[in-house]
Amino acid sequence: MGVHVLRNFPPLAGLPLTSREVMREVGLLARQRIYERTTGGQDMHGQAFKPYSQSYQTAKARELGSTGVNLQVSGAMLNALTIIEVTDHSVTLGFR
Amino acid sequence: MTPEQLAAQLAQQADRASAAFARSLSRVWREAERRLGTLIRSAQDGPTATIRGVQAAALRSQLRTVLRDAGYDALAETATAAPLDRLSSLLLSSRSDLAELVARPRLEALQALHRLDLLDEGDALSRNLWDSVARGLFARVDTEDLLAELAWRFDRADAQIATLYDTAVSIYTRQVELLDAGDSPDTRYLYSGPDDEKTREFCQQHVGQTYTRAEIDALDNGQIGPVILTGGGYNCRHVWMEVSRFAEA
């Protein structure tokens, strides 16, 4: 007695798992996580950033009242992080 | 044109506008320094404190005139006209449905405000130059030392004024976030940017938090709207960063 397996759906290899819309959402999520991690003082490995040099720390404290390493002064760099390309299968973040 | 392509074009035009402004500003400073040199040397010719005092008082109004004659005010006018017009035309021609959202009158109002900001910075610079000149004249500081101090004042102003202009230009490129995000009132945005001593109260209240588009449209920064475009208002360092539907609320 044999076993018969019937498939009533298209080949799984051909199933679209992503779309441009989904990849865009992934890009937005990645951007938000990068932003929140960086402004929280953590690098890409989840470790605290290396402290600023004493002279820079003093200058930043004098101008902005803060000394924490968060890669922000004007805000322009992190605000410029954006999705620069999105396809059905990939998303690329970069700077405008 | 995809939103990403439009973003790239806007960014390119914005960079060109900023670079052109920086070059023109450098020419203005060189001309201003040249005129100032002549003015300072003649003011230091007075032998007595009384004469120097009289000359210093006259110099106060002449300093602002120096900037104007060197082309600063004209630059503030031209830099906030054609370049910003080109950015808004690029935007509106790509998305005519945004006409109401980013209506031309609003963009023109923003242009006028940026122009005033630049002119105010010119006033502030002439007051700073006056501080140096007045102290220098009464203390009989060597002319070359005084001119060196004035050159330092110009350097500081250059960085501040260039940043101010870049901010004006960036407001237009902020439109791109809106283009891609669409107009859904449920779209969520994170208010992103620095939180330090220079952050105004409105921005301190909202930075790091997420809001729906509908909630943002109900906000009032007390300066100029719509808040989705202008953030906290003048020289705002913050932007509304669209967040994913998959992000935790």
Side-chain angles (χ1 to χ4, degrees), chain B residues 122-155:
Chain B
D123 293 341
L125 172 59
S126 70
R127 280 194 299 275
N128 289 335
L129 292 172
W130 158 250
D131 279 344
S132 295
V133 165
R135 278 185 288 107
L137 285 181
F138 284 111
R140 292 221 75 132
V141 167
D142 176 73
T143 304
E144 295 312 311
D145 288 343
L146 178 55
L147 289 175
E149 183 174 331
L150 297 180
W152 174 77
R153 292 273 191 196
F154 279 116
D155 281 344

Short mmCIF file of all heavy atoms in Angstrom, two decimals, chain B residues 122-155:
data_model
loop_
_atom_site.label_atom_id
_atom_site.label_comp_id
_atom_site.label_asym_id
_atom_site.label_seq_id
_atom_site.Cartn_x
_atom_site.Cartn_y
_atom_site.Cartn_z
N GLY B 122 22.61 88.93 10.88
CA GLY B 122 23.46 90.03 10.45
C GLY B 122 23.50 91.12 11.51
O GLY B 122 24.55 91.69 11.82
N ASP B 123 22.34 91.42 12.10
CA ASP B 123 22.28 92.42 13.17
C ASP B 123 23.11 91.96 14.36
O ASP B 123 23.84 92.75 14.97
CB ASP B 123 20.82 92.62 13.63
CG ASP B 123 19.96 93.26 12.55
OD1 ASP B 123 20.52 93.88 11.62
OD2 ASP B 123 18.71 93.14 12.64
N ALA B 124 22.97 90.68 14.70
CA ALA B 124 23.71 90.15 15.86
C ALA B 124 25.21 90.23 15.60
O ALA B 124 25.99 90.58 16.50
CB ALA B 124 23.30 88.70 16.13
N LEU B 125 25.62 89.92 14.39
CA LEU B 125 27.05 89.98 14.06
C LEU B 125 27.57 91.40 14.19
O LEU B 125 28.64 91.65 14.75
CB LEU B 125 27.29 89.45 12.65
CG LEU B 125 28.71 89.62 12.10
CD1 LEU B 125 29.71 88.91 13.02
CD2 LEU B 125 28.82 89.07 10.69
N SER B 126 26.80 92.37 13.70
CA SER B 126 27.30 93.75 13.77
C SER B 126 27.38 94.20 15.23
O SER B 126 28.29 94.96 15.59
CB SER B 126 26.45 94.70 12.93
OG SER B 126 25.19 94.89 13.48
N ARG B 127 26.51 93.70 16.10
CA ARG B 127 26.60 94.04 17.53
C ARG B 127 27.86 93.41 18.14
O ARG B 127 28.58 94.04 18.90
CB ARG B 127 25.37 93.53 18.29
CG ARG B 127 24.15 94.40 18.16
CD ARG B 127 23.10 94.05 19.19
NE ARG B 127 22.63 92.69 19.07
CZ ARG B 127 21.66 92.31 18.24
NH1 ARG B 127 21.07 93.19 17.46
NH2 ARG B 127 21.27 91.05 18.19
N ASN B 128 28.17 92.17 17.74
CA ASN B 128 29.38 91.52 18.24
C ASN B 128 30.64 92.22 17.74
O ASN B 128 31.62 92.37 18.47
CB ASN B 128 29.41 90.04 17.81
CG ASN B 128 28.37 89.23 18.55
OD1 ASN B 128 27.96 89.59 19.65
ND2 ASN B 128 27.93 88.14 17.95
N LEU B 129 30.59 92.65 16.48
CA LEU B 129 31.74 93.39 15.94
C LEU B 129 31.92 94.69 16.72
O LEU B 129 33.06 95.08 17.05
CB LEU B 129 31.51 93.70 14.45
CG LEU B 129 31.51 92.52 13.49
CD1 LEU B 129 31.08 92.96 12.09
CD2 LEU B 129 32.88 91.86 13.43
N TRP B 130 30.81 95.32 17.02
CA TRP B 130 30.85 96.57 17.77
C TRP B 130 31.50 96.37 19.15
O TRP B 130 32.32 97.18 19.59
CB TRP B 130 29.45 97.15 17.90
CG TRP B 130 29.27 98.10 19.03
CD1 TRP B 130 28.57 97.91 20.19
CD2 TRP B 130 29.87 99.40 19.15
NE1 TRP B 130 28.67 99.01 21.00
CE2 TRP B 130 29.46 99.93 20.40
CE3 TRP B 130 30.70 100.15 18.33
CZ2 TRP B 130 29.86 101.19 20.82
CZ3 TRP B 130 31.09 101.40 18.78
CH2 TRP B 130 30.69 101.91 19.99
N ASP B 131 31.15 95.28 19.83
CA ASP B 131 31.75 94.98 21.14
C ASP B 131 33.26 94.96 21.03
O ASP B 131 33.97 95.56 21.84
CB ASP B 131 31.32 93.58 21.62
CG ASP B 131 29.95 93.59 22.24
OD1 ASP B 131 29.47 94.68 22.56
OD2 ASP B 131 29.36 92.50 22.38
N SER B 132 33.73 94.24 20.02
CA SER B 132 35.19 94.11 19.86
C SER B 132 35.81 95.46 19.51
O SER B 132 36.85 95.84 20.05
CB SER B 132 35.51 93.11 18.74
OG SER B 132 35.10 91.82 19.09
N VAL B 133 35.17 96.19 18.62
CA VAL B 133 35.72 97.46 18.16
C VAL B 133 35.77 98.46 19.31
O VAL B 133 36.78 99.14 19.52
CB VAL B 133 34.89 98.02 16.99
CG1 VAL B 133 35.20 99.48 16.74
CG2 VAL B 133 35.14 97.18 15.74
N ALA B 134 34.68 98.58 20.05
CA ALA B 134 34.62 99.56 21.14
C ALA B 134 35.71 99.28 22.17
O ALA B 134 36.44 100.17 22.59
CB ALA B 134 33.24 99.54 21.79
N ARG B 135 35.83 98.02 22.58
CA ARG B 135 36.87 97.67 23.57
C ARG B 135 38.25 97.93 22.99
O ARG B 135 39.14 98.45 23.65
CB ARG B 135 36.74 96.21 23.99
CG ARG B 135 35.69 95.97 25.06
CD ARG B 135 35.64 94.54 25.57
NE ARG B 135 35.10 93.63 24.59
CZ ARG B 135 35.81 92.75 23.91
NH1 ARG B 135 37.12 92.66 24.11
NH2 ARG B 135 35.24 91.95 23.03
N GLY B 136 38.40 97.56 21.71
CA GLY B 136 39.71 97.72 21.08
C GLY B 136 40.13 99.16 20.96
O GLY B 136 41.30 99.52 21.20
N LEU B 137 39.18 100.04 20.63
CA LEU B 137 39.52 101.45 20.45
C LEU B 137 39.94 102.09 21.76
O LEU B 137 40.94 102.78 21.86
CB LEU B 137 38.34 102.21 19.85
CG LEU B 137 38.07 102.00 18.36
CD1 LEU B 137 36.88 102.84 17.93
CD2 LEU B 137 39.29 102.36 17.53
N PHE B 138 39.16 101.82 22.83
CA PHE B 138 39.45 102.47 24.10
C PHE B 138 40.71 101.90 24.75
O PHE B 138 41.40 102.60 25.48
CB PHE B 138 38.25 102.36 25.05
CG PHE B 138 37.16 103.32 24.69
CD1 PHE B 138 35.96 102.87 24.18
CD2 PHE B 138 37.36 104.68 24.81
CE1 PHE B 138 34.96 103.76 23.81
CE2 PHE B 138 36.36 105.58 24.44
CZ PHE B 138 35.16 105.12 23.94
N ALA B 139 40.96 100.64 24.50
CA ALA B 139 42.17 100.04 25.09
C ALA B 139 43.38 100.24 24.20
O ALA B 139 44.48 99.76 24.50
CB ALA B 139 41.93 98.54 25.30
N ARG B 140 43.18 100.96 23.10
CA ARG B 140 44.26 101.21 22.12
C ARG B 140 44.93 99.90 21.71
O ARG B 140 46.14 99.80 21.64
CB ARG B 140 45.30 102.19 22.69
CG ARG B 140 44.78 103.58 22.87
CD ARG B 140 45.79 104.63 22.45
NE ARG B 140 45.88 104.71 21.01
CZ ARG B 140 45.86 105.86 20.33
NH1 ARG B 140 45.73 106.99 20.97
NH2 ARG B 140 46.00 105.88 19.03
N VAL B 141 44.12 98.91 21.42
CA VAL B 141 44.64 97.62 20.95
C VAL B 141 45.29 97.84 19.58
O VAL B 141 44.82 98.64 18.78
CB VAL B 141 43.48 96.60 20.85
CG1 VAL B 141 43.87 95.37 20.08
CG2 VAL B 141 42.98 96.24 22.23
N ASP B 142 46.35 97.13 19.34
CA ASP B 142 47.04 97.21 18.05
C ASP B 142 46.05 96.90 16.92
O ASP B 142 45.23 95.98 17.05
CB ASP B 142 48.18 96.18 18.05
CG ASP B 142 48.89 96.12 16.72
OD1 ASP B 142 49.65 97.07 16.43
OD2 ASP B 142 48.66 95.16 15.97
N THR B 143 46.11 97.65 15.85
CA THR B 143 45.14 97.50 14.76
C THR B 143 45.07 96.07 14.24
O THR B 143 43.97 95.53 14.03
CB THR B 143 45.50 98.44 13.59
OG1 THR B 143 45.59 99.77 14.08
CG2 THR B 143 44.46 98.36 12.50
N GLU B 144 46.23 95.48 14.03
CA GLU B 144 46.23 94.13 13.47
C GLU B 144 45.63 93.12 14.44
O GLU B 144 44.92 92.20 14.02
CB GLU B 144 47.67 93.71 13.07
CG GLU B 144 48.26 94.56 11.94
CD GLU B 144 47.32 94.75 10.75
OE1 GLU B 144 46.75 93.75 10.25
OE2 GLU B 144 47.12 95.91 10.32
N ASP B 145 45.85 93.34 15.74
CA ASP B 145 45.24 92.44 16.73
C ASP B 145 43.72 92.59 16.71
O ASP B 145 42.97 91.61 16.81
CB ASP B 145 45.76 92.75 18.14
CG ASP B 145 47.20 92.30 18.32
OD1 ASP B 145 47.67 91.49 17.50
OD2 ASP B 145 47.85 92.77 19.28
N LEU B 146 43.27 93.83 16.58
CA LEU B 146 41.83 94.08 16.54
C LEU B 146 41.22 93.45 15.29
O LEU B 146 40.17 92.80 15.35
CB LEU B 146 41.55 95.58 16.58
CG LEU B 146 40.08 96.01 16.50
CD1 LEU B 146 39.25 95.32 17.60
CD2 LEU B 146 39.95 97.52 16.63
N LEU B 147 41.90 93.60 14.18
CA LEU B 147 41.38 93.00 12.95
C LEU B 147 41.35 91.48 13.05
O LEU B 147 40.44 90.83 12.52
CB LEU B 147 42.21 93.46 11.75
CG LEU B 147 42.04 94.93 11.35
CD1 LEU B 147 42.99 95.31 10.23
CD2 LEU B 147 40.60 95.22 10.94
N ALA B 148 42.33 90.93 13.73
CA ALA B 148 42.36 89.46 13.92
C ALA B 148 41.16 89.02 14.75
O ALA B 148 40.52 88.00 14.47
CB ALA B 148 43.66 89.03 14.59
N GLU B 149 40.82 89.81 15.77
CA GLU B 149 39.65 89.48 16.59
C GLU B 149 38.37 89.58 15.75
O GLU B 149 37.48 88.74 15.87
CB GLU B 149 39.54 90.41 17.80
CG GLU B 149 38.36 90.02 18.69
CD GLU B 149 38.29 90.81 19.97
OE1 GLU B 149 39.35 91.24 20.46
OE2 GLU B 149 37.17 90.99 20.48
N LEU B 150 38.31 90.58 14.91
CA LEU B 150 37.12 90.71 14.06
C LEU B 150 37.01 89.55 13.08
O LEU B 150 35.92 89.06 12.80
CB LEU B 150 37.16 92.05 13.31
CG LEU B 150 37.13 93.29 14.19
CD1 LEU B 150 37.17 94.55 13.34
CD2 LEU B 150 35.90 93.31 15.09
N ALA B 151 38.15 89.11 12.58
CA ALA B 151 38.15 87.95 11.67
C ALA B 151 37.61 86.71 12.39
O ALA B 151 36.86 85.91 11.83
CB ALA B 151 39.56 87.68 11.15
N TRP B 152 37.98 86.58 13.66
CA TRP B 152 37.46 85.47 14.47
C TRP B 152 35.94 85.57 14.62
O TRP B 152 35.22 84.58 14.55
CB TRP B 152 38.16 85.48 15.83
CG TRP B 152 37.63 84.50 16.80
CD1 TRP B 152 37.86 83.16 16.85
CD2 TRP B 152 36.73 84.78 17.90
NE1 TRP B 152 37.18 82.59 17.90
CE2 TRP B 152 36.48 83.56 18.56
CE3 TRP B 152 36.14 85.94 18.38
CZ2 TRP B 152 35.66 83.48 19.68
CZ3 TRP B 152 35.32 85.84 19.49
CH2 TRP B 152 35.09 84.61 20.13
N ARG B 153 35.44 86.80 14.79
CA ARG B 153 33.99 87.01 14.90
C ARG B 153 33.30 86.55 13.61
O ARG B 153 32.23 85.94 13.64
CB ARG B 153 33.68 88.50 15.11
CG ARG B 153 34.13 89.06 16.44
CD ARG B 153 33.10 88.86 17.48
NE ARG B 153 33.37 89.59 18.71
CZ ARG B 153 32.77 89.32 19.86
NH1 ARG B 153 31.89 88.35 19.94
NH2 ARG B 153 33.06 90.03 20.94
N PHE B 154 33.94 86.88 12.47
CA PHE B 154 33.36 86.47 11.20
C PHE B 154 33.34 84.95 11.07
O PHE B 154 32.39 84.36 10.58
CB PHE B 154 34.15 87.07 10.03
CG PHE B 154 33.79 88.49 9.71
CD1 PHE B 154 34.72 89.50 9.86
CD2 PHE B 154 32.51 88.82 9.27
CE1 PHE B 154 34.39 90.82 9.58
CE2 PHE B 154 32.17 90.14 8.99
CZ PHE B 154 33.12 91.14 9.14
N ASP B 155 34.40 84.31 11.53
CA ASP B 155 34.47 82.84 11.45
C ASP B 155 33.34 82.20 12.24
O ASP B 155 32.69 81.26 11.78
CB ASP B 155 35.80 82.32 12.02
CG ASP B 155 36.93 82.48 11.03
OD1 ASP B 155 36.63 82.71 9.83
OD2 ASP B 155 38.10 82.38 11.44
#
